[in-house]
Amino acid sequence: MTALEPEHTANRPFRILVADDDRGNREAIADLLAARGFETIQAADGGEAVEIVQVTTIHLCFLDMHMPRLTGLEALQLVRQVNELIPAILMTADATRDVMRKALQERVHTVLPKPVRPNLAL
């Protein structure tokens, strides 16, 4: 790659951040996406997700709603300070009206109910 080539080319996979404090859920989604050719990076909480976005180009975020340090929506607010256009998918076991309203306000692409079904994640 030369200095004049863009960072992401057709040969490079999209990089997806999967943030969930439940290791099993996080790894299952990351493995599912990796099997489809995506590069995945995992974060164990919202704070770690923000730290990753600050130093790594991320093309899409999967964020669990309820995590230590920062919720998925709190993390997304900080992520958007780094990249305001990054698309995000929120995952939650309690898709209440309040959570859905807040997700809409934060321009979340979609809210996936947990446990996340593989076909919906893809």
Side-chain angles (χ1 to χ4, degrees), residues 61-77:
C61 294
F62 274 76
L63 301 167
D64 182 29
M65 178 58 191
H66 299 290
M67 296 184 286
R69 293 174 59 189
L70 299 169
T71 68
L73 291 177
E74 291 168 341
L76 181 58
Q77 289 173 345

Side-chain angles (χ1 to χ4, degrees), residues 1-96:
M1 182 164 104
T2 70
L4 299 177
E5 290 181 42
E7 182 181 345
H8 12 85
T9 64
N11 298 352
R12 291 177 176 243
F14 282 124
R15 192 173 298 126
I16 300 175
L17 173 64
V18 180
D20 193 327
D21 59 314
D22 183 302
R23 183 178 178 179
N25 288 337
R26 181 177 68 241
E27 289 179 351
I29 292 169
D31 290 347
L32 174 72
L33 297 169
R36 294 294 178 121
F38 297 103
E39 181 180 338
T40 59
I41 298 177
Q42 298 180 38
D45 62 51
E48 186 179 357
V50 173
E51 292 166 6
I52 289 169
V53 170
Q54 290 173 335
V55 298
T56 306
T57 300
I58 299 295
H59 302 101
L60 170 66
C61 294
F62 274 76
L63 301 167
D64 182 29
M65 178 58 191
H66 299 290
M67 296 184 286
R69 293 174 59 189
L70 299 169
T71 68
L73 291 177
E74 291 168 341
L76 181 58
Q77 289 173 345
L78 295 173
V79 163
R80 292 253 170 89
Q81 291 177 13
V82 177
N83 179 348
E84 68 181 78
L85 299 177
I86 193 166
I89 294 172
L90 187 69
M91 304 174 291
T92 185
D94 66 332
T96 63

